[in-house]
Every structure is written in structure tokens, then in C-alpha cells.
Amino acid sequence: DSRSILSSFRSVGDRADAPPSVVEISTDKAPSWVVLESRRILGGGFSPDSALGFQSVRSAALLGDGSVVLTGTSPPILRIGGPCSTPCRFGRKGEGPGEYRAIQWVLAARGDSLTVWDSGVWRLTRLTADGELLGSSQPTPATGDSLWSLPRGVFGDGRLLAQGRGGLPAEGGLQINRADLRVLTRDGQTAAGLATSLPVGEMSYTPYPGSSAAKPMYSVVEPPFARRGLLSAAGTRWCYVWTGGSELVCGGVSADSLRVALDTARVAPVSDTMFIAHLEATQQLNVLPADRKNQIRELRKLWTHSTLPRWSAMIVDPEERVWLQRFRSPFDSLEQLTVVDH
């Protein structure tokens, strides 16, 4: 619930008296998303003689000149577009400077510099957009836990908004996954702990036969209309919202108070028809017609709430406005945006 979520934040002080400005944008006023360029690149994958294209992309970053940087788990790192009329490649396999073993993600920061996290050698590497080595560092094991997934945002000073993995649950069943929220310096050191045990998603865990409490192993299924925690950061602001809750929580990198905006819109209840339509739209009904009713019945057991989640996406833009997209039901063609300006 909202009280338990808010109590997860360490930096809670007095809420600001002045309410944030909230503007709802309907479809007829929303910005028009226009595809400026679409290219299909044949061959030229991560190996110069590859004919497989880019089937093993793990992470991507967009640079200011419109070029795109792509990584797989193994090097090289590719840059496409901008000054690279053909894909530019940099980095090689190994453990020395400019070498990589198990790339998890690439991130574009200020000035189009790149940050690469390699869990194989436990190293953060900073590069120019042309692949020139700027520096590297090895975070502590505790901090490295927050680097396994792509950081949720980059602050104006280059620090990262990162989320820990949280680990496996102690037992099976329907679980809300939780993790710590941290601000990391560019070299991967913890600058501040913003929240503990923050809800980040929900899953259904079924223990595998033979697994034990000492070494648990699970079959994992995401329940229908799963709720999750959305995080974003830009400038000096970060924001969090639980998609099933009504409160948008925002704060600063070293703020002594939080700002909270309430969503007062009615949340739509989910009928049986909408539930089945959602399963079809998300391609979860993947059995023969004779088994369809049984699968619907089993998926219904995993469902934890009776209404639609409120939100499906969130971004904090460089001007520190918060853009929220409402959850779209299978019968709703409107793409409603809400903008919160602090």
C-alpha cells in the first residue's frame, strides 16, 4: 500500500506545501510521434564478416548526433550512423584496458560519453563516442549488485540512479519483488541511499522439484496486469511511481524532503471479457483451444488485484518535468499522457 511504499524512502522530510502542477494531455493534444528515419541493416553484425545482422543486441544507447551504440554480451561495441557510414567497431575480448568479457549494458552520459558495465571483469569503463578510453573503475561487490541492470536514469552531474537486484524470495507463491534505490557516482561508488525495500515488480514463483531453502530454484511467471515500480531521473530530480498506486514520489539527489503528487482519477475495474482480451493481446493464451479454459483459470489464480494498473511508462525530461502514460486496456485506443511540472 501507499504508506508502506512511502516508508521505504530514507530521505522523507516534510512534504512541500505548494502542490505540483499537473496537466493531462488527451490524444488530440498529445505530441505526434513521427518516424524520421527507418533503416534495415543487413549483415555487418558484431563480427565484420557476420551475415546474421544484429540478433544478439543486449543494450543500446542513442547519441546526440542521432547515431546509435549497440552492444552484445561479447565485444566489439558498435556505433551506427553519425560519422560511421558503415558500423564502427571498438573493443576486443579480454581483461585488459579496452577489453571486455561479459558486457551487461552501455549508457550515454553528458557530452555523449559512454559508460559500459562489464560483469565479467567487474569493471565500469568510460569511453568517448569514438571508442577512446577515458578511464575505468571497479565498484565494490555491494555496489556492483546495483549495476547488473541498466541504471534507471542519469543526473545532470553524471551520477546514476541505480536499483539493486533484491535477490530471490525465501519461498514460492505470488511475491512483490523489492530492491534498494541508490545514487551512484560515475565510477560506481554509492553516493546516497534513497530507499530500501522499494517495490519494483510482482511475479509468481513455483519451486522446482528438488530445490531447497539453501539453494532455491523457481519457475517464474508474470501475473496478468502485473504492477511494477517505474523509475526515472534527469537534472537533479528522480521520480518513482508504483503502477498500481496513486502517489508519484519525487526527490533530489541530496534533498531533505520529497514531493508527492496524487492521482485522483478513477481506476477502471477489470471484467472477465477484459481479462481474456488482455491475455490474448499479450499472447499468453498459447495453448490448444481444448486447454484454453484451464489456462485462463490458472492465470486467474495469479492475478493479485481487481483493477487496471494506473500507469505503464514514465520519463523525467531534461527540464525535470515528469511524463506519465496511462495503462492502456485492450479496449482503449487513447494514449493519454499526464505531465507533472515541479
Side-chain angles (χ1 to χ4, degrees):
D1 60 39
S2 297
R3 285 175 297 179
S4 66
I5 289 175
L6 286 174
S7 67
S8 300
F9 291 96
R10 289 178 172 173
S11 54
V12 175
D14 295 329
R15 299 185 186 185
D17 294 330
S21 171
V22 180
V23 179
E24 292 201 356
I25 302 178
S26 60
T27 306
D28 58 339
K29 296 180 181 178
S32 298
W33 305 108
V34 179
V35 177
L36 299 179
E37 182 180 4
S38 178
R39 286 187 288 169
R40 183 175 181 180
I41 302 172
L42 299 176
F46 288 97
S47 172
D49 58 354
S50 171
L52 297 177
F54 301 96
Q55 297 181 13
S56 58
V57 171
R58 184 177 183 89
S59 179
L62 179 65
L63 301 182
D65 63 358
S67 61
V68 178
V69 176
L70 305 173
T71 66
T73 304
S74 299
I77 298 169
L78 268 62
R79 183 181 178 188
I80 301 171
C84 301
S85 56
T86 59
C88 298
R89 296 176 175 84
F90 42 89
R92 58 188 181 274
K93 199 167 185 66
E95 299 184 3
E99 297 178 340
Y100 308 91
R101 274 181 47 197
I103 299 173
Q104 298 300 318
W105 48 260
V106 61
L107 185 72
R110 292 181 304 169
D112 280 350
S113 64
L114 300 172
T115 301
V116 179
W117 169 238
D118 185 339
S119 62
V121 292
W122 206 257
R123 184 170 60 207
L124 275 172
T125 300
R126 298 191 307 280
L127 308 165
T128 68
D130 298 322
E132 181 181 346
L133 188 63
L134 295 175
S136 63
S137 58
Q138 291 188 297
T140 64
T143 303
D145 176 73
S146 300
L147 294 170
W148 280 84
S149 59
L150 182 69
R152 297 304 191 252
V154 183
F155 294 100
D157 60 4
R159 287 188 282 185
L160 310 175
L161 180 68
Q163 170 189 307
R165 288 187 292 173
L168 290 172
E171 57 185 17
L174 292 170
Q175 303 282 348
I176 292 181
N177 300 330
R178 295 176 179 273
D180 294 346
L181 185 61
R182 300 167 180 151
V183 177
L184 305 181
T185 59
R186 292 188 65 183
D187 60 359
Q189 306 305 312
T190 301
L194 295 179
T196 58
S197 193
L198 193 65
V200 293
E202 57 182 344
M203 291 286 182
S204 172
Y205 294 86
T206 303
Y208 277 126
S211 66
S212 63
K215 192 176 181 180
M217 298 177 63
Y218 298 101
S219 170
V220 182
V221 177
E222 185 176 80
F225 300 109
R227 298 167 296 183
R228 53 181 54 87
L230 304 179
L231 284 162
S232 186
T236 62
R237 183 167 300 283
W238 58 267
C239 289
Y240 165 88
V241 64
W242 177 246
T243 61
S246 61
E247 292 180 305
L248 169 69
V249 184
C250 295
V253 177
S254 58
D256 57 2
S257 64
L258 298 175
R259 299 292 298 275
V260 179
L262 291 177
D263 173 41
T264 58
R266 185 178 65 88
V267 181
V270 176
S271 64
D272 289 343
T273 303
M274 184 184 293
F275 183 83
I276 295 171
H278 175 77
L279 298 180
E280 291 175 335
T282 53
Q283 300 181 348
Q284 295 186 60
L285 295 179
N286 53 3
V287 297
L288 297 174
D291 298 324
R292 180 182 170 95
K293 287 186 177 180
N294 286 334
Q295 188 179 28
I296 293 173
R297 190 178 298 113
E298 290 302 311
L299 288 171
R300 190 76 172 187
K301 292 178 183 178
L302 303 179
W303 193 28
T304 60
H305 45 287
S306 59
T307 57
L308 287 175
R310 292 175 183 265
W311 312 107
S312 58
M314 177 182 68
I315 293 175
V316 179
D317 69 19
E319 297 180 24
E320 299 187 7
R321 295 171 301 186
V322 187
W323 295 71
L324 289 151
Q325 181 182 36
R326 287 206 173 273
F327 189 94
R328 296 176 63 186
S329 77
F331 305 116
D332 182 10
S333 61
L334 296 179
E335 194 162 358
Q336 186 186 48
L337 298 174
T338 298
V339 184
V340 181
D341 189 349
H342 282 268

